[in-house]
Amino acid sequence: MSAIQTIWPPGTECVARYNFPGTTDQDLPLCKGDVLTIIGVTKDPNWYKAKNTVGREGTIPANYVQKREGVKSGGKLSLMPWFHGKITRDQAERLLYPPEMGLFLVRESTNYPGDYTLCVSSEGKVEHYRIIYHNGKLTIDEEAYFENLMQLVEHYTKDADGLCTRLIKPKLMEGTVAAQDEFSRSGWALNRKELKLIQTIGKGEFGDVMVGDYRGTKVAVKCIKHDATAQAFIAEASVMTQMRHNNLVQLLGVIVEEKGSLFIVTEYMAKGSLVDYLRSRGRTVIGGDCLLKFSMDVCEAMEYLEANNFVHRDLAARNVLVSDDNIAKVSDFGLTKEASSTQDTAKLPIKWTSPEALREKKFSTKSDVWSYGILLWEIYSFGRVPYPRIPLKDVVPRVEKGYKMDSPDGCPPAVYDVMKLCWTLEPAMRPSFKALRENLQLIQDKDYL
């Protein structure tokens, strides 16, 4: 074995690249794809002591594992790196030059808006095949029909089936990275064969959320079927690979299927969303100490995001999940971005979004703080919808004039004071999540409840 280049510190997460049956009682057997945590290095630097997900410990060969890294190429990751969007026939032919048998790309059709064109290099020239969109399906010859472009490309990669040649080599759009390659490289690709989908627990416009089993562990799985939607979720998954905190829902891995399906596998949160948890149990079951604990859990997650320069943008009780042992964890990273980026505001939840984010599309940790104040109000009102009895169109004008919601019934004054700090109209005057956590800690320590 060659000496390893760098020694990974304890706590490093890694993935087995190969099977390792183990040769002594001290060894930890590995199956390709196992996720492990490094405990420390042994006397021989070619061997680590590690622990697997069920808590078993032992020694492993260093060159059988790869370090799990955060996926950094967020905006450039593509499920369809061969898709070039709106380019002309001439541009496509230039991109496929010099000619190479089976070199291909897909573009939007310039002559038939809404349709696509498959451009393939064969015997020194480029053939252009119109992809017709018919009854919700895609076809070239009106014999074979496909749900999406990924299925179509996969089919013709295996068999020419009437084309001049089978598709051999994709011409990647400049600046894009194939998502599957990047998730594999960084250690986040899971094996579809080892995932059992058991039952649907939620339906969204993007697809289903299901309970599944991955290697004997109960997991939650977002199943995204449509390639265009899946592309948006790739960005969410890449953000999740960079985060590690006990109060954030943990990503376990990603499965990209050639046919266009995407599975995002996360830890399973048995008690569902915080808003449903609060509504279904109410104040007869949930005491003040539990409400404060949920408030602290979310605040600690947000303090972590703040420290790592991430803005959530959609913080609300519906996007916080509750584990079997009553830990609240922030989820739904669909809108989460690096702190500097802006975003279209058309789909934003008005009652949870800060005035400056709605007005000027300015998102920051401070706009998350505003949303956190609304979430606190949801917690202490046991899941009521914010701004009760105020028509939606009137919420923003009233808030901008300084209106603040009344304290929920039975909410400790000290907690209501925290909410009002979050709803300071001037973003710079709002507290940080670190300051909010310290404030809640004081309330907990003084037992104001």
mmCIF file of all heavy atoms in Angstrom, residues 196-240:
data_model
loop_
_atom_site.group_PDB
_atom_site.id
_atom_site.type_symbol
_atom_site.label_atom_id
_atom_site.label_comp_id
_atom_site.label_asym_id
_atom_site.label_seq_id
_atom_site.Cartn_x
_atom_site.Cartn_y
_atom_site.Cartn_z
ATOM 1 N N LYS A 196 -35.027 0.802 -0.727
ATOM 2 C CA LYS A 196 -36.387 0.274 -0.862
ATOM 3 C C LYS A 196 -37.364 1.394 -0.530
ATOM 4 O O LYS A 196 -37.270 1.993 0.547
ATOM 5 C CB LYS A 196 -36.609 -0.903 0.098
ATOM 6 C CG LYS A 196 -35.929 -2.177 -0.304
ATOM 7 C CD LYS A 196 -36.592 -3.411 0.304
ATOM 8 C CE LYS A 196 -36.216 -3.649 1.751
ATOM 9 N NZ LYS A 196 -34.862 -4.195 1.918
ATOM 10 N N LEU A 197 -38.279 1.694 -1.437
ATOM 11 C CA LEU A 197 -39.305 2.707 -1.171
ATOM 12 C C LEU A 197 -40.517 2.002 -0.574
ATOM 13 O O LEU A 197 -41.012 1.022 -1.137
ATOM 14 C CB LEU A 197 -39.674 3.433 -2.462
ATOM 15 C CG LEU A 197 -38.517 4.210 -3.112
ATOM 16 C CD1 LEU A 197 -38.929 4.755 -4.472
ATOM 17 C CD2 LEU A 197 -38.048 5.351 -2.211
ATOM 18 N N ILE A 198 -40.991 2.487 0.587
ATOM 19 C CA ILE A 198 -42.029 1.752 1.320
ATOM 20 C C ILE A 198 -43.409 2.386 1.167
ATOM 21 O O ILE A 198 -44.338 1.761 0.701
ATOM 22 C CB ILE A 198 -41.641 1.616 2.813
ATOM 23 C CG1 ILE A 198 -40.320 0.836 2.920
ATOM 24 C CG2 ILE A 198 -42.734 0.915 3.611
ATOM 25 C CD1 ILE A 198 -39.620 0.922 4.251
ATOM 26 N N GLN A 199 -43.553 3.653 1.558
ATOM 27 C CA GLN A 199 -44.870 4.279 1.407
ATOM 28 C C GLN A 199 -44.749 5.791 1.260
ATOM 29 O O GLN A 199 -43.779 6.397 1.708
ATOM 30 C CB GLN A 199 -45.785 3.948 2.584
ATOM 31 C CG GLN A 199 -45.394 4.634 3.890
ATOM 32 C CD GLN A 199 -46.345 4.271 5.026
ATOM 33 O OE1 GLN A 199 -46.131 3.277 5.690
ATOM 34 N NE2 GLN A 199 -47.373 5.063 5.229
ATOM 35 N N THR A 200 -45.747 6.376 0.619
ATOM 36 C CA THR A 200 -45.772 7.834 0.411
ATOM 37 C C THR A 200 -46.252 8.513 1.682
ATOM 38 O O THR A 200 -47.263 8.110 2.265
ATOM 39 C CB THR A 200 -46.711 8.171 -0.760
ATOM 40 O OG1 THR A 200 -46.273 7.453 -1.909
ATOM 41 C CG2 THR A 200 -46.705 9.655 -1.064
ATOM 42 N N ILE A 201 -45.509 9.549 2.127
ATOM 43 C CA ILE A 201 -45.940 10.293 3.324
ATOM 44 C C ILE A 201 -46.277 11.741 2.986
ATOM 45 O O ILE A 201 -46.762 12.490 3.822
ATOM 46 C CB ILE A 201 -44.890 10.235 4.462
ATOM 47 C CG1 ILE A 201 -43.497 10.655 3.961
ATOM 48 C CG2 ILE A 201 -44.864 8.872 5.116
ATOM 49 C CD1 ILE A 201 -42.452 10.785 5.065
ATOM 50 N N GLY A 202 -46.025 12.130 1.745
ATOM 51 C CA GLY A 202 -46.360 13.500 1.352
ATOM 52 C C GLY A 202 -46.308 13.638 -0.153
ATOM 53 O O GLY A 202 -45.559 12.934 -0.827
ATOM 54 N N LYS A 203 -47.147 14.536 -0.673
ATOM 55 C CA LYS A 203 -47.140 14.783 -2.116
ATOM 56 C C LYS A 203 -46.928 16.265 -2.344
ATOM 57 O O LYS A 203 -47.503 17.090 -1.643
ATOM 58 C CB LYS A 203 -48.470 14.356 -2.749
ATOM 59 C CG LYS A 203 -48.623 12.856 -2.899
ATOM 60 C CD LYS A 203 -49.839 12.511 -3.740
ATOM 61 C CE LYS A 203 -49.951 11.004 -3.961
ATOM 62 N NZ LYS A 203 -48.922 10.465 -4.816
ATOM 63 N N GLY A 204 -46.075 16.604 -3.301
ATOM 64 C CA GLY A 204 -45.853 18.014 -3.629
ATOM 65 C C GLY A 204 -45.965 18.171 -5.127
ATOM 66 O O GLY A 204 -46.104 17.190 -5.856
ATOM 67 N N GLU A 205 -45.875 19.411 -5.591
ATOM 68 C CA GLU A 205 -45.978 19.623 -7.036
ATOM 69 C C GLU A 205 -44.771 19.020 -7.753
ATOM 70 O O GLU A 205 -44.820 18.693 -8.932
ATOM 71 C CB GLU A 205 -46.098 21.119 -7.342
ATOM 72 C CG GLU A 205 -45.020 21.962 -6.709
ATOM 73 C CD GLU A 205 -45.291 23.454 -6.854
ATOM 74 O OE1 GLU A 205 -45.409 23.903 -7.999
ATOM 75 O OE2 GLU A 205 -45.367 24.144 -5.832
ATOM 76 N N PHE A 206 -43.656 18.834 -7.012
ATOM 77 C CA PHE A 206 -42.428 18.323 -7.627
ATOM 78 C C PHE A 206 -42.396 16.802 -7.677
ATOM 79 O O PHE A 206 -41.665 16.211 -8.449
ATOM 80 C CB PHE A 206 -41.210 18.804 -6.827
ATOM 81 C CG PHE A 206 -41.245 18.364 -5.389
ATOM 82 C CD1 PHE A 206 -40.805 17.107 -5.029
ATOM 83 C CD2 PHE A 206 -41.738 19.202 -4.400
ATOM 84 C CE1 PHE A 206 -40.856 16.678 -3.714
ATOM 85 C CE2 PHE A 206 -41.789 18.785 -3.077
ATOM 86 C CZ PHE A 206 -41.347 17.523 -2.742
ATOM 87 N N GLY A 207 -43.174 16.123 -6.838
ATOM 88 C CA GLY A 207 -43.080 14.670 -6.725
ATOM 89 C C GLY A 207 -43.514 14.241 -5.336
ATOM 90 O O GLY A 207 -44.188 14.995 -4.619
ATOM 91 N N ASP A 208 -43.115 13.039 -4.939
ATOM 92 C CA ASP A 208 -43.559 12.500 -3.654
ATOM 93 C C ASP A 208 -42.427 12.494 -2.628
ATOM 94 O O ASP A 208 -41.255 12.430 -2.981
ATOM 95 C CB ASP A 208 -44.035 11.043 -3.828
ATOM 96 C CG ASP A 208 -45.243 10.950 -4.746
ATOM 97 O OD1 ASP A 208 -45.910 11.987 -4.932
ATOM 98 O OD2 ASP A 208 -45.506 9.855 -5.274
ATOM 99 N N VAL A 209 -42.836 12.548 -1.351
ATOM 100 C CA VAL A 209 -41.899 12.258 -0.264
ATOM 101 C C VAL A 209 -42.301 10.889 0.271
ATOM 102 O O VAL A 209 -43.476 10.654 0.568
ATOM 103 C CB VAL A 209 -41.969 13.312 0.860
ATOM 104 C CG1 VAL A 209 -41.010 12.934 1.991
ATOM 105 C CG2 VAL A 209 -41.628 14.700 0.330
ATOM 106 N N MET A 210 -41.340 9.988 0.364
ATOM 107 C CA MET A 210 -41.642 8.619 0.785
ATOM 108 C C MET A 210 -40.784 8.190 1.960
ATOM 109 O O MET A 210 -39.696 8.723 2.170
ATOM 110 C CB MET A 210 -41.425 7.655 -0.386
ATOM 111 C CG MET A 210 -42.307 7.967 -1.588
ATOM 112 S SD MET A 210 -42.224 6.699 -2.866
ATOM 113 C CE MET A 210 -43.189 5.391 -2.129
ATOM 114 N N VAL A 211 -41.295 7.229 2.709
ATOM 115 C CA VAL A 211 -40.465 6.540 3.701
ATOM 116 C C VAL A 211 -39.773 5.412 2.959
ATOM 117 O O VAL A 211 -40.398 4.720 2.149
ATOM 118 C CB VAL A 211 -41.320 5.938 4.840
ATOM 119 C CG1 VAL A 211 -40.431 5.174 5.810
ATOM 120 C CG2 VAL A 211 -42.052 7.018 5.584
ATOM 121 N N GLY A 212 -38.492 5.253 3.219
ATOM 122 C CA GLY A 212 -37.759 4.183 2.561
ATOM 123 C C GLY A 212 -36.836 3.475 3.531
ATOM 124 O O GLY A 212 -36.780 3.796 4.726
ATOM 125 N N ASP A 213 -36.137 2.500 2.996
ATOM 126 C CA ASP A 213 -35.145 1.765 3.780
ATOM 127 C C ASP A 213 -33.869 1.736 2.958
ATOM 128 O O ASP A 213 -33.867 1.303 1.804
ATOM 129 C CB ASP A 213 -35.659 0.341 4.038
ATOM 130 C CG ASP A 213 -34.663 -0.484 4.847
ATOM 131 O OD1 ASP A 213 -33.592 -0.819 4.295
ATOM 132 O OD2 ASP A 213 -34.945 -0.787 6.018
ATOM 133 N N TYR A 214 -32.783 2.247 3.547
ATOM 134 C CA TYR A 214 -31.498 2.182 2.868
ATOM 135 C C TYR A 214 -30.536 1.397 3.748
ATOM 136 O O TYR A 214 -30.181 1.839 4.834
ATOM 137 C CB TYR A 214 -30.928 3.578 2.572
ATOM 138 C CG TYR A 214 -29.724 3.518 1.651
ATOM 139 C CD1 TYR A 214 -29.890 3.310 0.292
ATOM 140 C CD2 TYR A 214 -28.423 3.632 2.155
ATOM 141 C CE1 TYR A 214 -28.802 3.221 -0.571
ATOM 142 C CE2 TYR A 214 -27.326 3.544 1.294
ATOM 143 C CZ TYR A 214 -27.526 3.336 -0.066
ATOM 144 O OH TYR A 214 -26.439 3.236 -0.910
ATOM 145 N N ARG A 215 -30.209 0.202 3.311
ATOM 146 C CA ARG A 215 -29.290 -0.669 4.061
ATOM 147 C C ARG A 215 -29.745 -0.860 5.498
ATOM 148 O O ARG A 215 -28.947 -0.789 6.431
ATOM 149 C CB ARG A 215 -27.882 -0.098 4.045
ATOM 150 C CG ARG A 215 -27.274 -0.060 2.665
ATOM 151 C CD ARG A 215 -25.849 0.369 2.756
ATOM 152 N NE ARG A 215 -25.121 -0.043 1.571
ATOM 153 C CZ ARG A 215 -23.813 0.027 1.466
ATOM 154 N NH1 ARG A 215 -23.090 0.478 2.455
ATOM 155 N NH2 ARG A 215 -23.205 -0.359 0.375
ATOM 156 N N GLY A 216 -31.045 -1.057 5.679
ATOM 157 C CA GLY A 216 -31.554 -1.335 7.025
ATOM 158 C C GLY A 216 -31.855 -0.110 7.861
ATOM 159 O O GLY A 216 -32.299 -0.229 8.995
ATOM 160 N N THR A 217 -31.623 1.091 7.326
ATOM 161 C CA THR A 217 -31.923 2.329 8.066
ATOM 162 C C THR A 217 -33.165 2.975 7.464
ATOM 163 O O THR A 217 -33.289 3.093 6.237
ATOM 164 C CB THR A 217 -30.740 3.319 7.959
ATOM 165 O OG1 THR A 217 -29.581 2.691 8.507
ATOM 166 C CG2 THR A 217 -31.016 4.602 8.726
ATOM 167 N N LYS A 218 -34.090 3.395 8.335
ATOM 168 C CA LYS A 218 -35.294 4.089 7.874
ATOM 169 C C LYS A 218 -34.900 5.479 7.401
ATOM 170 O O LYS A 218 -34.203 6.211 8.110
ATOM 171 C CB LYS A 218 -36.285 4.193 9.039
ATOM 172 C CG LYS A 218 -37.725 4.367 8.606
ATOM 173 C CD LYS A 218 -38.650 4.268 9.821
ATOM 174 C CE LYS A 218 -40.096 4.168 9.412
ATOM 175 N NZ LYS A 218 -40.994 4.132 10.563
ATOM 176 N N VAL A 219 -35.334 5.859 6.206
ATOM 177 C CA VAL A 219 -34.947 7.155 5.622
ATOM 178 C C VAL A 219 -36.166 7.839 5.022
ATOM 179 O O VAL A 219 -37.206 7.209 4.792
ATOM 180 C CB VAL A 219 -33.873 6.967 4.517
ATOM 181 C CG1 VAL A 219 -32.564 6.458 5.096
ATOM 182 C CG2 VAL A 219 -34.372 6.040 3.396
ATOM 183 N N ALA A 220 -36.041 9.140 4.779
ATOM 184 C CA ALA A 220 -37.048 9.871 4.009
ATOM 185 C C ALA A 220 -36.460 10.125 2.625
ATOM 186 O O ALA A 220 -35.266 10.404 2.494
ATOM 187 C CB ALA A 220 -37.392 11.187 4.697
ATOM 188 N N VAL A 221 -37.298 10.023 1.603
ATOM 189 C CA VAL A 221 -36.817 10.157 0.230
ATOM 190 C C VAL A 221 -37.698 11.130 -0.547
ATOM 191 O O VAL A 221 -38.910 10.940 -0.630
ATOM 192 C CB VAL A 221 -36.829 8.790 -0.509
ATOM 193 C CG1 VAL A 221 -36.131 8.913 -1.863
ATOM 194 C CG2 VAL A 221 -36.184 7.701 0.329
ATOM 195 N N LYS A 222 -37.082 12.184 -1.075
ATOM 196 C CA LYS A 222 -37.792 13.055 -2.022
ATOM 197 C C LYS A 222 -37.603 12.441 -3.395
ATOM 198 O O LYS A 222 -36.466 12.273 -3.848
ATOM 199 C CB LYS A 222 -37.179 14.459 -2.020
ATOM 200 C CG LYS A 222 -37.816 15.413 -1.038
ATOM 201 C CD LYS A 222 -37.244 16.811 -1.239
ATOM 202 C CE LYS A 222 -37.799 17.742 -0.170
ATOM 203 N NZ LYS A 222 -37.161 19.057 -0.186
ATOM 204 N N CYS A 223 -38.711 12.084 -4.054
ATOM 205 C CA CYS A 223 -38.633 11.450 -5.370
ATOM 206 C C CYS A 223 -39.079 12.465 -6.409
ATOM 207 O O CYS A 223 -40.251 12.848 -6.430
ATOM 208 C CB CYS A 223 -39.558 10.239 -5.437
ATOM 209 S SG CYS A 223 -39.343 9.087 -4.066
ATOM 210 N N ILE A 224 -38.163 12.911 -7.241
ATOM 211 C CA ILE A 224 -38.484 13.938 -8.227
ATOM 212 C C ILE A 224 -38.401 13.299 -9.607
ATOM 213 O O ILE A 224 -37.362 12.805 -10.010
ATOM 214 C CB ILE A 224 -37.526 15.146 -8.107
ATOM 215 C CG1 ILE A 224 -37.692 15.804 -6.738
ATOM 216 C CG2 ILE A 224 -37.824 16.184 -9.167
ATOM 217 C CD1 ILE A 224 -36.557 15.577 -5.812
ATOM 218 N N LYS A 225 -39.532 13.291 -10.311
ATOM 219 C CA LYS A 225 -39.614 12.528 -11.561
ATOM 220 C C LYS A 225 -39.287 13.358 -12.802
ATOM 221 O O LYS A 225 -38.832 12.850 -13.790
ATOM 222 C CB LYS A 225 -41.037 11.968 -11.723
ATOM 223 C CG LYS A 225 -41.400 10.913 -10.688
ATOM 224 C CD LYS A 225 -40.767 9.578 -11.028
ATOM 225 C CE LYS A 225 -41.311 8.437 -10.185
ATOM 226 N NZ LYS A 225 -40.918 8.488 -8.794
ATOM 227 N N HIS A 226 -39.595 14.633 -12.758
ATOM 228 C CA HIS A 226 -39.491 15.430 -13.988
ATOM 229 C C HIS A 226 -38.126 16.095 -14.085
ATOM 230 O O HIS A 226 -37.657 16.690 -13.129
ATOM 231 C CB HIS A 226 -40.604 16.475 -14.000
ATOM 232 C CG HIS A 226 -40.713 17.170 -15.307
ATOM 233 N ND1 HIS A 226 -39.957 18.264 -15.634
ATOM 234 C CD2 HIS A 226 -41.487 16.913 -16.394
ATOM 235 C CE1 HIS A 226 -40.272 18.653 -16.860
ATOM 236 N NE2 HIS A 226 -41.197 17.865 -17.345
ATOM 237 N N ASP A 227 -37.494 16.003 -15.242
ATOM 238 C CA ASP A 227 -36.106 16.459 -15.335
ATOM 239 C C ASP A 227 -35.925 17.947 -15.045
ATOM 240 O O ASP A 227 -34.967 18.349 -14.395
ATOM 241 C CB ASP A 227 -35.474 16.099 -16.686
ATOM 242 C CG ASP A 227 -36.358 16.455 -17.881
ATOM 243 O OD1 ASP A 227 -37.430 17.034 -17.659
ATOM 244 O OD2 ASP A 227 -35.974 16.152 -19.011
ATOM 245 N N ALA A 228 -36.858 18.788 -15.488
ATOM 246 C CA ALA A 228 -36.692 20.233 -15.255
ATOM 247 C C ALA A 228 -36.777 20.559 -13.766
ATOM 248 O O ALA A 228 -36.018 21.366 -13.237
ATOM 249 C CB ALA A 228 -37.753 21.004 -16.029
ATOM 250 N N THR A 229 -37.716 19.898 -13.066
ATOM 251 C CA THR A 229 -37.852 20.123 -11.625
ATOM 252 C C THR A 229 -36.647 19.543 -10.895
ATOM 253 O O THR A 229 -36.121 20.150 -9.968
ATOM 254 C CB THR A 229 -39.130 19.424 -11.094
ATOM 255 O OG1 THR A 229 -40.182 19.655 -12.009
ATOM 256 C CG2 THR A 229 -39.516 19.931 -9.735
ATOM 257 N N ALA A 230 -36.238 18.367 -11.332
ATOM 258 C CA ALA A 230 -35.091 17.712 -10.699
ATOM 259 C C ALA A 230 -33.866 18.611 -10.737
ATOM 260 O O ALA A 230 -33.076 18.661 -9.797
ATOM 261 C CB ALA A 230 -34.801 16.378 -11.383
ATOM 262 N N GLN A 231 -33.728 19.363 -11.822
ATOM 263 C CA GLN A 231 -32.582 20.262 -11.950
ATOM 264 C C GLN A 231 -32.537 21.265 -10.788
ATOM 265 O O GLN A 231 -31.485 21.552 -10.242
ATOM 266 C CB GLN A 231 -32.658 20.993 -13.298
ATOM 267 C CG GLN A 231 -31.475 21.891 -13.587
ATOM 268 C CD GLN A 231 -30.154 21.148 -13.594
ATOM 269 O OE1 GLN A 231 -29.995 20.135 -14.246
ATOM 270 N NE2 GLN A 231 -29.191 21.642 -12.831
ATOM 271 N N ALA A 232 -33.703 21.788 -10.396
ATOM 272 C CA ALA A 232 -33.756 22.746 -9.276
ATOM 273 C C ALA A 232 -33.371 22.061 -7.967
ATOM 274 O O ALA A 232 -32.723 22.658 -7.104
ATOM 275 C CB ALA A 232 -35.159 23.340 -9.171
ATOM 276 N N PHE A 233 -33.754 20.787 -7.819
ATOM 277 C CA PHE A 233 -33.458 20.084 -6.565
ATOM 278 C C PHE A 233 -31.992 19.671 -6.443
ATOM 279 O O PHE A 233 -31.497 19.437 -5.356
ATOM 280 C CB PHE A 233 -34.383 18.864 -6.422
ATOM 281 C CG PHE A 233 -35.724 19.240 -5.880
ATOM 282 C CD1 PHE A 233 -36.749 19.592 -6.737
ATOM 283 C CD2 PHE A 233 -35.956 19.284 -4.522
ATOM 284 C CE1 PHE A 233 -37.981 19.975 -6.255
ATOM 285 C CE2 PHE A 233 -37.185 19.665 -4.024
ATOM 286 C CZ PHE A 233 -38.211 20.009 -4.890
ATOM 287 N N ILE A 234 -31.307 19.590 -7.602
ATOM 288 C CA ILE A 234 -29.870 19.310 -7.570
ATOM 289 C C ILE A 234 -29.159 20.389 -6.759
ATOM 290 O O ILE A 234 -28.257 20.124 -5.967
ATOM 291 C CB ILE A 234 -29.318 19.267 -9.020
ATOM 292 C CG1 ILE A 234 -29.651 17.922 -9.650
ATOM 293 C CG2 ILE A 234 -27.830 19.522 -9.058
ATOM 294 C CD1 ILE A 234 -28.875 16.752 -9.133
ATOM 295 N N ALA A 235 -29.586 21.647 -6.954
ATOM 296 C CA ALA A 235 -28.974 22.759 -6.214
ATOM 297 C C ALA A 235 -29.227 22.600 -4.716
ATOM 298 O O ALA A 235 -28.340 22.823 -3.894
ATOM 299 C CB ALA A 235 -29.528 24.090 -6.714
ATOM 300 N N GLU A 236 -30.456 22.190 -4.350
ATOM 301 C CA GLU A 236 -30.782 21.970 -2.926
ATOM 302 C C GLU A 236 -29.882 20.890 -2.339
ATOM 303 O O GLU A 236 -29.312 21.052 -1.256
ATOM 304 C CB GLU A 236 -32.253 21.544 -2.783
ATOM 305 C CG GLU A 236 -32.606 21.110 -1.373
ATOM 306 C CD GLU A 236 -34.091 20.806 -1.179
ATOM 307 O OE1 GLU A 236 -34.924 21.165 -2.030
ATOM 308 O OE2 GLU A 236 -34.409 20.217 -0.141
ATOM 309 N N ALA A 237 -29.738 19.781 -3.069
ATOM 310 C CA ALA A 237 -28.912 18.675 -2.567
ATOM 311 C C ALA A 237 -27.461 19.106 -2.416
ATOM 312 O O ALA A 237 -26.787 18.746 -1.447
ATOM 313 C CB ALA A 237 -29.020 17.472 -3.502
ATOM 314 N N SER A 238 -26.962 19.916 -3.362
ATOM 315 C CA SER A 238 -25.554 20.323 -3.272
ATOM 316 C C SER A 238 -25.328 21.245 -2.070
ATOM 317 O O SER A 238 -24.285 21.189 -1.422
ATOM 318 C CB SER A 238 -25.077 20.965 -4.569
ATOM 319 O OG SER A 238 -25.701 22.190 -4.793
ATOM 320 N N VAL A 239 -26.323 22.080 -1.748
ATOM 321 C CA VAL A 239 -26.227 22.918 -0.542
ATOM 322 C C VAL A 239 -26.174 22.023 0.694
ATOM 323 O O VAL A 239 -25.359 22.220 1.605
ATOM 324 C CB VAL A 239 -27.437 23.891 -0.451
ATOM 325 C CG1 VAL A 239 -27.554 24.489 0.946
ATOM 326 C CG2 VAL A 239 -27.289 25.013 -1.471
ATOM 327 N N MET A 240 -27.026 20.982 0.715
ATOM 328 C CA MET A 240 -27.102 20.108 1.898
ATOM 329 C C MET A 240 -25.815 19.330 2.147
ATOM 330 O O MET A 240 -25.508 18.974 3.276
ATOM 331 C CB MET A 240 -28.285 19.148 1.770
ATOM 332 C CG MET A 240 -29.633 19.844 1.879
ATOM 333 S SD MET A 240 -31.024 18.702 1.711
ATOM 334 C CE MET A 240 -31.067 17.940 3.332
#
